[in-house]
Amino acid sequence: MTSITTDAAVATGGPRGSGRRKRQPGWFIPWLFVAFFGVVVAANGIMVYVAMTTYTGLETDNHYLKGLHYNAALEGARAQTERGWKVDLAFQSQAPRKGIVSVTLRDRYGNLLTGSVVKAAFIRPTSANHDVALELPYLGDGRYGTDVELPFSGNWDLRLTIDHSTGDYQNQQRVWVK
């Protein structure tokens, strides 16, 4: 006796009627798309979280108010140039995280500028929590200076401000600390 297979037996997965259908080729492809976009959304979410919870990039406090006074800052820079002071700023790093900052002040005619208040601020370019501000004492012969110890080696911005009865002076330069 020969067995005849019916369409119902093929549709159910075999002649025994197991009740399971055979999956079509490529049935998983839509799930690959879902997984791909799930990974993309998760990666973007992580990047947004990291961007929002780390360094803001804001270096200047009250930047809006300082922007309103920008023309006054330009006028101050022009007056600083007209005074023609000769300011020699030097920083020497001789030991790890230590250095000597010194400033020599002269007016445009070469006369010593005494009686100034000289301040130096070491600003870490990558973080605002490690800045070091100091006032430089007068050492004689137009020189101001002191030793400084910083919390980290590497690049620092040295911001110099000088207040004198004939005017003020500002300058900034990048220095390397061993």
Side-chain angles (χ1 to χ4, degrees):
M1 176 168 234
T2 63
S3 149
I4 299 176
T5 313
T6 62
D7 288 338
V10 172
T12 59
R16 297 204 171 126
S18 65
R20 293 188 55 185
R21 290 186 118 177
K22 189 174 181 184
R23 292 188 175 167
Q24 296 287 327
W27 63 270
F28 57 89
I29 291 177
W31 291 108
L32 288 178
F33 279 102
V34 170
F36 170 76
F37 284 109
V39 169
V40 169
V41 167
N44 285 340
I46 290 170
M47 297 300 271
V48 166
Y49 173 77
V50 170
M52 298 299 286
T53 58
T54 58
Y55 181 63
T56 63
L58 181 65
E59 180 180 332
T60 305
D61 293 331
N62 301 320
H63 56 280
Y64 177 73
L65 295 175
K66 288 182 180 179
L68 291 176
H69 301 293
Y70 182 68
N71 288 337
L74 289 178
E75 184 59 37
R78 193 173 302 116
Q80 176 176 313
T81 303
E82 289 174 0
R83 276 191 293 279
W85 288 359
K86 295 173 182 70
V87 179
D88 294 322
L89 173 61
F91 177 78
Q92 299 166 352
S93 179
Q94 301 163 340
R97 300 178 324 164
K98 294 182 181 179
I100 300 171
V101 61
S102 64
V103 178
T104 304
L105 301 176
R106 297 187 182 274
D107 66 8
R108 73 171 56 212
Y109 306 109
N111 301 322
L112 298 178
L113 286 173
T114 59
S116 300
V117 177
V118 180
K119 296 179 182 177
F122 287 85
I123 300 163
R124 187 76 171 171
T126 56
S127 65
N129 299 330
H130 306 290
D131 298 348
V132 175
L134 22 116
E135 189 169 324
L136 305 181
Y138 184 67
L139 302 175
D141 295 328
R143 287 189 63 233
Y144 297 80
T146 190
D147 297 332
V148 62
E149 183 171 352
L150 300 169
F152 301 107
S153 60
N155 282 325
W156 288 81
D157 289 333
L158 174 54
R159 198 170 286 171
L160 178 70
T161 56
I162 302 170
D163 289 320
H164 190 265
S165 60
T166 60
D168 60 354
Y169 179 88
Q170 296 180 31
N171 192 8
Q172 179 172 319
Q173 73 181 35
R174 175 98 13 127
V175 296
W176 175 262
V177 179
K178 290 183 182 181

